[in-house]
Amino acid sequence: MSRDDYEGPILEIDNLSISFFTRLREIPAVMDFSVTVQPGEAVGLVGESGCGKSTVALGVMRDLGKNGRIVGGTVKFKGRDMGDMSDEELREIRGSEVAMIYQEPMASLNPAMKIGKQLMEVPMIHQGMNAEKARERALQVVTDVKLPDPARILDSFPHQLSGGQQQRIVIAMALMAEPSLLILDEPTTALDVTVEAAVVELVKELGKKYGTSMLFISHNLGLVLETCDRICVMYSGEAVETGSIEDVFDKMQHPYTQALFRSIPLPGANKNDRPLKAIPGNFPLPHERPPGCNFGPRCDYFEEGRCNAAEIPMFEVAGDDRHGTRCLRFEEIDWNAPMQLMETKTKGEIGPVVLKMDNLKKYYEVAANALFGGGQKKVVKANETLTFEAHESETLAIVGESGCGKSTFAKVLMGLETATDGTIMLDNRSIGDVPIEKRDAKTIGEVQMVFQNPFDTLNPSMTVGRQIIRALEVFGIGKNEAERRERMLQLLDLVKLPREFADRMPRQLSGGQKQRVGIARAFAGDARIVVADEPVSALDVSVQAAVTDLLMEIQREHKTTLLFISHDLSIVRYLSDRVMVMYLGHVVELGTTDQVFSPPYHPYTEALLSAVPIADTSVEKEHIVLEGDIPSAMNPPPGCPFQTRCRWKKDVPDNLCEREVPPMRQMAEGHQVKCHLADDILARMSPVIKIAAE
């Protein structure tokens, strides 16, 4: 049957159940799961990690490994049951009719093979195309995915491309055979927001151009809103709500969907007047699911003896477009009732300056030929003349894409690197040129860091309590073991972990719990400044709310200065007092959160704001997609660092942007912008994010 003759749904998953079998037991990963993807439709599959989203995708691809088995239900592709297909027929469909794009682009690319050859393989294997035609097709697809200089890219190896370019190549590879169904598993998690915006735009355009149907797996509701027509929300192996984007976002009918939205920082939420509401309790393990409704133990509307009496089927929501919910009480709940106000918090008084940086520079010297050494030296300008101050009890967010110098600056502050030039003052002590091994325990204890990935920062062979006590020993806190143990238990109380966790090993904790241990350890030495480097980006949305709330609470109590490094502007808007935007080693904008989030903007800030996916149908955004990648710090462009990607450059006369680094200008009290644009042009800038009137 040719692909054009079939007119029914492309993919029908009906009551699919998938289990993994271990020596001890059967572990159900997906239960009674149904979803339909129509031709040309994009369906988003949303849920926290461990809810079974990726297992569904692997079930469709019949790629469950030797322990995974489909134990019930059917998966039909273009009307044919995939369970009845031979291995050969499945091989025929995979790659040509159904293609999958994974989270980590390098996992799909062969590091030892040029890009062109990898792309040409697809039509040569699946369509029997000759090499010349296949190369033409590869050039065409690389042009489609908007990569610069396609001929050069085809001749490159994967390691010569940036992460965003690698992901585009993987998308190009998936599109080479013009599949009918494209499965995308968190395709943008590892990318910067600006690159993510461009990749998402690309996926939408290509979907329209090739008429491809899509199953888009993500934990980011904003991203699903921007890319999909329909959505399916999963919790603990089950679909709990499905429907069109409008129905589910604006008329949600399941307590879990509602709880998920309440834990995301949408415009209007802020840490003092409108704090986020974290979902209480923890996600159930697959072999410890509760009877009845899986979400019951964490639900505000739970009714004993009814919600946990029997398995709960999907119910149809009358009047909506194929809208279903797995909730017994959905017709009794008042979905429009205002959210119970979380207690509003008093804002900590912002105190004196604790940290002052003046014209900080950090340059690295690297060999021009890094592989074999030798040759002339090149200088990487990681940080250029950073000047700012941070106060007691203040949260200063540092925002920018990867490669902008955020983490380098954090390393210099921590003493892991020393400054090339300029000064860093902590209180009245200069610490910029003191490496960590020469700092005293007091200084080390005062400047601490919480890292991005909680899994890499704990010692897997040491109990949680021991790791915190070890930090107390290093900082010289407590006269004896008993005092240190008591202090360790107080630190566990501080991060809201049960005291019995002291005897647990890191592998027994979830990601959010590990991150709390990391925070407890950072506060062991009465830290005055905590550098939080993307502390919640590896965590689920519901856990993010709890961890950010915890950081804020500790800050109020301890008057800590928090330097919050992030590329997620929604969280930055929610919790920061001031924002510093960095690009290629330069600070391009610095001001209070309100100043940075409303015009006039630096052109780069404007593009960053436009790139953030917002899970709210009432928000309108101006659409700005940045062309190109961040230039290399080894070879920065002349003049303004941002001029190669700036859409306002034409408004500045005499090619000034290409010739001179702009001066830092004072816009309003406390608001600085590094830009050549004339005052009247900056004054005419319109807001990027507009919230439609109710």
Side-chain angles (χ1 to χ4, degrees):
M1 173 173 66
S2 90
R3 62 176 42 188
D4 306 325
D5 301 342
Y6 183 74
E7 286 176 356
I10 296 290
L11 181 71
E12 290 170 276
I13 301 178
D14 194 26
N15 295 340
L16 179 69
S17 296
I18 298 174
S19 291
F20 288 92
F21 291 85
T22 65
R23 285 199 307 267
L24 298 175
R25 57 168 83 88
E26 172 187 350
I27 297 177
V30 173
M31 293 92 67
D32 180 28
F33 179 83
S34 304
V35 78
T36 304
V37 184
Q38 299 292 349
E41 189 173 62
V43 176
L45 205 49
V46 181
E48 299 170 88
S49 46
C51 71
K53 313 184 290 287
S54 299
T55 309
V56 168
L58 294 172
V60 171
M61 296 297 274
R62 287 289 193 277
D63 181 16
L64 290 163
K66 54 178 191 292
N67 293 346
R69 279 214 293 281
I70 292 178
V71 291
T74 56
V75 178
K76 287 184 181 166
F77 177 72
K78 290 190 171 177
R80 292 179 61 201
D81 188 338
M82 293 177 80
D84 298 341
M85 293 183 188
S86 66
D87 286 354
E88 201 161 314
E89 287 176 301
L90 283 170
R91 258 200 308 276
E92 193 58 41
I93 282 182
R94 281 190 208 124
S96 62
E97 291 261 12
V98 183
M100 186 153 172
I101 295 171
Y102 295 90
Q103 186 168 352
E104 184 44 68
M106 268 315 272
S108 313
L109 294 171
N110 180 340
M113 200 181 203
K114 286 188 174 169
I115 297 289
K117 197 161 177 218
Q118 298 193 47
L119 288 173
M120 286 160 62
E121 273 190 342
V122 180
M124 287 166 79
I125 291 171
H126 287 292
Q127 292 160 350
M129 211 180 257
N130 66 23
E132 196 178 330
K133 279 252 176 66
R135 188 164 181 91
E136 268 173 44
R137 176 107 180 86
L139 262 174
Q140 167 62 42
V141 176
V142 171
T143 314
D144 275 353
V145 296
K146 299 204 170 88
L147 281 166
D149 195 356
R152 182 185 65 79
I153 294 252
L154 290 184
D155 214 32
S156 307
F157 285 100
H159 70 266
Q160 294 170 309
L161 308 182
S162 69
Q165 289 174 330
Q166 288 172 0
Q167 193 60 290
R168 284 166 192 236
I169 288 296
V170 172
I171 292 172
M173 200 182 279
L175 292 166
M176 281 297 281
E178 300 188 14
S180 311
L181 177 68
L182 191 54
I183 301 175
L184 301 107
D185 189 359
E186 304 262 14
T188 58
T189 311
L191 306 177
D192 277 312
V193 275
T194 49
V195 182
E196 173 178 87
V199 168
V200 163
E201 184 72 6
L202 172 76
V203 168
K204 278 192 333 207
E205 267 175 40
L206 295 170
K208 285 195 182 75
K209 177 174 175 180
Y210 292 106
T212 314
S213 305
M214 290 192 279
L215 191 59
F216 194 98
I217 297 172
S218 180
H219 64 260
N220 185 331
L221 286 159
L223 214 51
V224 169
L225 169 68
E226 292 187 5
T227 41
C228 299
D229 310 301
R230 298 181 63 74
I231 180 174
C232 171
V233 181
M234 285 188 79
Y235 179 79
S236 188
E238 297 179 322
V240 293
E241 185 163 9
T242 62
S244 70
I245 292 284
E246 288 73 25
D247 286 345
V248 175
F249 275 59
D250 298 339
K251 297 189 285 183
M252 55 193 73
Q253 298 286 313
H254 195 283
Y256 175 60
T257 316
Q258 185 184 52
L260 215 46
F261 274 93
R262 287 176 172 179
S263 62
I264 328 176
L266 294 173
N270 78 53
K271 61 182 178 186
N272 298 314
D273 317 330
R274 277 207 34 213
L276 299 179
K277 184 174 180 195
I279 305 177
N282 286 318
F283 202 75
L285 291 168
H287 56 282
E288 294 173 357
R289 292 191 175 106
C293 173
N294 281 342
F295 187 58
R298 306 174 72 185
C299 178
D300 292 345
Y301 309 104
F302 178 74
E303 201 177 299
E304 179 62 47
R306 186 173 161 204
C307 295
N308 54 357
E311 289 296 310
I312 295 173
M314 277 301 246
F315 297 97
E316 216 168 295
V317 179
D320 287 350
D321 170 23
R322 291 179 286 150
H323 189 177
T325 174
R326 196 181 290 270
C327 175
L328 278 177
R329 304 195 53 200
F330 78 98
E331 289 171 319
E332 306 160 22
I333 295 169
D334 177 1
W335 296 103
N336 297 319
M339 175 167 139
Q340 279 180 335
L341 261 180
M342 303 287 291
E343 54 180 297
T344 53
K345 308 281 172 57
T346 46
K347 189 171 174 352
E349 273 303 302
I350 295 206
V353 172
V354 177
L355 178 73
K356 192 171 161 54
M357 280 204 183
D358 203 18
N359 285 333
L360 176 82
K361 288 186 184 173
K362 176 63 189 167
Y363 292 176
Y364 292 99
E365 266 201 3
V366 292
N369 185 338
L371 194 56
F372 301 109
Q376 76 278 34
K377 295 274 191 195
K378 276 197 166 177
V379 173
V380 176
K381 299 180 174 183
N383 287 154
E384 276 285 10
T385 58
L386 297 188
T387 300
F388 71 91
E389 43 194 42
H391 298 252
E392 184 178 271
S393 283
E394 175 180 55
T395 303
L396 172 67
I398 298 150
V399 178
E401 296 168 276
S402 44
C404 73
K406 313 185 289 279
S407 298
T408 301
F409 136 79
K411 283 180 188 163
V412 175
L413 178 60
M414 299 293 297
L416 300 171
E417 302 276 359
T418 50
T420 308
D421 196 12
T423 53
I424 303 179
M425 303 294 286
L426 174 63
D427 297 326
N428 289 315
R429 314 196 291 282
S430 173
I431 59 168
D433 46 5
V434 185
I436 192 147
E437 58 272 19
K438 295 201 174 135
R439 291 187 178 182
D440 55 39
K442 179 174 182 294
T443 308
I444 293 174
E446 284 181 346
V447 185
Q448 280 293 302
M449 193 156 178
V450 177
F451 296 91
Q452 177 169 359
N453 193 340
F455 303 91
D456 296 344
T457 51
L458 298 178
N459 181 336
S461 55
M462 223 187 234
T463 63
V464 165
R466 187 75 217 125
Q467 307 206 32
I468 298 175
I469 289 174
R470 180 85 192 81
L472 293 168
E473 285 168 359
V474 170
F475 302 141
I477 289 172
K479 294 192 192 68
N480 52 36
E481 190 65 18
E483 272 189 23
R484 282 194 278 273
R485 182 157 179 89
E486 185 48 39
R487 173 84 182 119
M488 177 269 291
L489 292 172
Q490 286 167 3
L491 284 163
L492 286 180
D493 296 344
L494 179 71
V495 295
K496 298 194 167 47
L497 282 177
R499 286 188 164 199
E500 54 269 26
F501 273 38
D503 302 320
R504 289 201 181 176
M505 301 303 270
R507 65 168 189 276
Q508 296 170 295
L509 310 190
S510 69
Q513 290 166 340
K514 285 183 188 162
Q515 195 58 296
R516 284 165 188 252
V517 175
I519 293 171
R521 197 171 53 179
F523 281 92
D526 283 330
R528 313 234 358 245
I529 297 174
V530 170
V531 181
D533 189 357
E534 302 264 15
V536 293
S537 63
L539 307 176
D540 279 314
V541 268
S542 58
V543 185
Q544 275 185 9
V547 172
T548 42
D549 211 37
L550 172 72
L551 277 170
M552 295 296 103
E553 210 167 296
I554 295 176
Q555 179 182 44
R556 284 186 196 98
E557 203 177 307
H558 290 253
K559 298 192 164 157
T560 323
T561 305
L562 199 59
L563 299 180
F564 193 87
I565 298 177
S566 180
H567 65 258
D568 180 346
L569 285 167
S570 313
I571 283 194
V572 165
R573 182 179 203 156
Y574 170 69
L575 58 76
S576 60
D577 301 303
R578 284 193 307 140
V579 180
M580 178 163 105
V581 182
M582 286 184 72
Y583 185 82
L584 206 58
H586 291 258
V587 174
V588 293
E589 184 163 5
L590 177 62
T592 65
T593 308
D594 290 344
Q595 288 169 336
V596 172
F597 277 80
S598 48
Y601 311 105
H602 184 281
Y604 177 56
T605 312
E606 180 189 51
L608 273 183
L609 289 173
S610 156
V612 177
I614 297 174
D616 187 338
T617 51
S618 67
V619 167
E620 283 176 39
K621 284 194 309 184
E622 188 179 350
H623 206 64
I624 305 161
V625 171
L626 284 183
E627 299 297 325
D629 289 316
I630 292 197
S632 157
M634 205 188 285
N635 189 13
C640 170
F642 187 57
Q643 53 104 346
T644 53
R645 301 166 81 192
C646 180
R647 67 182 194 140
W648 292 87
K649 188 165 85 170
K650 57 185 184 310
D651 294 318
V652 177
D654 306 333
N655 290 347
L656 188 59
C657 299
E658 293 175 21
R659 290 185 291 116
E660 285 179 28
V661 176
M664 200 44 135
R665 288 157 59 184
Q666 201 72 25
M667 305 300 296
E669 178 62 40
H671 188 197
Q672 301 171 318
V673 172
K674 195 181 250 192
C675 185
H676 282 306
L677 281 173
D679 287 348
D680 60 321
I681 294 176
L682 284 167
R684 287 204 306 269
M685 280 189 166
S686 55
V688 172
I689 298 171
K690 301 182 197 67
I691 300 175
E694 287 292 310

